[in-house]
């Protein structure tokens, strides 16, 4: 029996670091195979765009042996703000967790919604989808994952549900992002269609994607409620938490607990206000969570030494996931340094040009989804591909609005699976869910999303979806 178990264990999927390093090696090899090239770019109104038909071959810049490992370091450096943000969020929530405030709040909510857990899941997912559609918390979604985990833990589900409620809820909105200026707005500006035009059709897509997402989460929730062994992480439902502590969670929401929760809400509210009024970014978010942690310690009368201990315990628990963000970024570093990223884009443009009408729109969509596996930045992808897709759309008699939507859904959908997304990897790290386990859970939903996208893009071309 022990020998059989040993054999089974040898067939387990590789660790996420192993997967990313393998992709890194493939990227390095690609610099020897794929011709180097680049597009000319121009900057107008602080937006740098690729000039169509400007692609030219350049001198090959093949990756050296030491360059492979240097890319890892450069990836870490380029991702430093996000890496440290994850560590700081982990530390801040460890301090908040130490007070018992969130446990008490969630337990009280669960007790008040006894036998209505599904309504709670729907409410939270819808709320975060609205935030995602507005482009408010796409990067900041990491900060809310611990709350989702605690919610799922108190409902005796698993960490995957905790991630799904928050992350998939937010990205169900972000896949259309009908009022997000950084993705949809930027793409429309590049495509020269009116800002936020076509919103009614996008809202319809949003509602369809959101409904499918919620139904999928509820289906999975119902499945593991009936049989916990059906969980994709049945062997350890909450890797970052001790399940036994669930029974010790406080059920009385004290005055201190209320102040801690209020302070957390105020801190996040100040950050959201800063984003819109002062263009705050990840560094300001990290600063705000340091303030939230310190304020929590003061409110709960935690001693300085105990505060430091709890804060760094939270940081230590997220080192694995924080560093994987830099590992993912190193792949893009190699592609850029090897001057083959633009060649890949040019190849996509050439591949799409023979198609027309509905099939052309679908190819645009799928190509963007695949490209997002390499460049997971929504705004970054917009400035690279939209200047190419716009003239291609004109030649193929595809409305430019459709090209914008093909980009947006292509960018949004695969964000839930791509290992090069720092946000996804950080989110999974906070929850303690392995990327391979997450893929097993979310891949069927991704296929549902892709089917929805294909259907709506086909309809959009047939109705000649314009700027209105």
């Amino acid at each position: 029996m022990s020998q059989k178990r040993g054999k089974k264990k040898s067939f387990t999927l590789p660790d996420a670091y192993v997967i990313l390093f393998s992709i890194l090696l493939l990227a390095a090899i690609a610099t020897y195979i794929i011709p180097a090239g680049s597009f000319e770019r121009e900057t107008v109104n602080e937006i740098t765009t690729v000039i169509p038909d400007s692609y030219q071959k350049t001198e090959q810049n093949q990756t050296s042996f030491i360059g492979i490992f240097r890319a890892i370091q450069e990836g870490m450096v380029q991702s430093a703000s996000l890496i440290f943000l994850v560590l700081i969020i982990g530390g801040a929530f460890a301090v908040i967790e130490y007070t018992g405030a969130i446990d008490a709040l969630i337990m009280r909510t669960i007790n008040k919604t006894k036998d209505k857990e599904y309504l709670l899941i729907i409410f939270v997912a819808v709320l975060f989808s609205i935030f995602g559609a507005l482009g408010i918390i796409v990067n900041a979604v990491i900060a809310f994952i611990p709350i989702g985990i605690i919610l799922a833990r108190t409902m005796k589900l698993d960490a995957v549900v905790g991630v799904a409620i928050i992350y998939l809820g937010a990205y169900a909105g972000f896949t259309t992002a009908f009022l997000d200026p950084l993705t949809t707005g930027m793409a429309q500006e590049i495509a020269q269609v009116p800002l936020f035009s076509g919103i009614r059709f996008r809202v319809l897509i949003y509602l369809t994607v959101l409904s499918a997402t919620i139904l999928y989460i509820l289906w999975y929730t119902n499945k593991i409620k009936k049989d916990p062994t059906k969980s994709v992480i049945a062997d350890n439902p909450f890797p970052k938490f001790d399940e036994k502590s669930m029974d010790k969670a406080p059920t009385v929401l004290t005055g201190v607990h209320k102040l801690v929760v209020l302070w957390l809400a105020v801190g996040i509210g100040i950050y959201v206000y800063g984003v819109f009024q002062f263009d705050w970014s990840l560094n300001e978010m990290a600063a705000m969570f340091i303030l939230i942690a310190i304020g929590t310690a003061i409110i709960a009368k935690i001693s300085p030494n105990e505060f430091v201990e709890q804060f760094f315990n939270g940081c230590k628990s997220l080192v694995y996931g924080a560093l994987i963000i830099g590992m993912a970024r190193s792949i893009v570093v190699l592609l850029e340094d090897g001057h083959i990223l633009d060649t890949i884009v040019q190849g996509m443009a050439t591949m799409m040009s023979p198609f027309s009408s509905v099939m052309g729109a679908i190819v645009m969509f799928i190509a963007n989804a695949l490209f997002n596996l390499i460049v997971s930045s929504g705004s970054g992808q917009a400035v690279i591909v939209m200047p190419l897709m716009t003239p291609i759309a004109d030649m193929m008699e595809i409305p430019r609005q459709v090209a914008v939507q093909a980009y947006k859904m292509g960018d949004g959908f695969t964000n839930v699976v791509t290992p090069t997304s720092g946000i996804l990897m950080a989110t999974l790290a906070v929850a303690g869910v392995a990327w391979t386990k997450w893929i097993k859970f979310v891949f069927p939903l991704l296929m549902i999303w892709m089917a929805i996208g294909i259907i709506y893009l086909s309809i959009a071309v047939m109705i000649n979806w314009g700027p209105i």
Side-chain angles (χ1 to χ4, degrees), residues 293-348:
I294 293 172
T296 298
I298 294 171
I299 293 169
K301 297 180 180 178
I302 300 172
S303 70
N305 286 352
E306 187 64 25
F307 166 75
V308 171
E309 181 182 350
Q310 294 302 322
F311 187 90
F312 281 98
N313 281 339
C315 291
K316 284 188 288 186
S317 68
L318 296 185
V319 169
Y320 174 94
L323 294 183
I324 211 168
I325 298 169
M327 188 72 183
R329 175 64 192 172
S330 67
I331 297 167
V332 179
V333 169
L334 271 191
L335 295 176
E336 289 177 341
D337 289 349
H339 303 157
I340 63 173
L341 188 59
D342 283 2
T343 303
I344 294 172
V345 174
Q346 174 67 9
M348 290 170 54

Side-chain angles (χ1 to χ4, degrees), residues 219-383:
W219 166 79
Y220 178 79
T221 298
N222 186 58
K223 183 175 73 169
I224 64 173
K225 263 188 172 295
K226 290 181 177 178
D227 184 0
T229 63
K230 298 290 186 181
S231 166
V232 296
I233 51 173
D235 54 329
N236 189 4
F238 294 96
K240 292 289 183 182
F241 296 88
D242 178 9
E243 272 195 288
K244 293 179 181 178
S245 66
M246 291 172 59
D247 300 327
K248 300 176 183 177
T251 55
V252 178
L253 196 65
T254 66
V256 171
H257 290 156
K258 292 177 182 177
L259 286 175
V260 168
V261 172
L262 178 62
W263 175 240
L264 173 63
V266 168
I268 293 175
I270 291 173
Y271 171 73
V272 172
Y273 178 79
V275 168
F276 285 100
Q277 296 297 318
F278 309 114
D279 295 322
W280 282 5
S281 61
L282 297 181
N283 290 339
E284 285 79 14
M285 182 193 286
M288 184 54 62
F289 270 95
I290 293 173
L291 281 172
I292 288 172
I294 293 172
T296 298
I298 294 171
I299 293 169
K301 297 180 180 178
I302 300 172
S303 70
N305 286 352
E306 187 64 25
F307 166 75
V308 171
E309 181 182 350
Q310 294 302 322
F311 187 90
F312 281 98
N313 281 339
C315 291
K316 284 188 288 186
S317 68
L318 296 185
V319 169
Y320 174 94
L323 294 183
I324 211 168
I325 298 169
M327 188 72 183
R329 175 64 192 172
S330 67
I331 297 167
V332 179
V333 169
L334 271 191
L335 295 176
E336 289 177 341
D337 289 349
H339 303 157
I340 63 173
L341 188 59
D342 283 2
T343 303
I344 294 172
V345 174
Q346 174 67 9
M348 290 170 54
T350 303
M351 178 187 69
M352 288 188 288
S353 59
F355 295 94
S356 61
S357 194
V358 173
M359 278 304 300
I362 293 171
V363 170
M364 279 186 176
F365 168 47
I366 295 173
N368 270 280
L370 294 174
F371 187 63
N372 189 57
L373 297 175
I374 301 172
V375 179
S376 58
S377 167
S379 55
Q381 189 176 343
V383 299

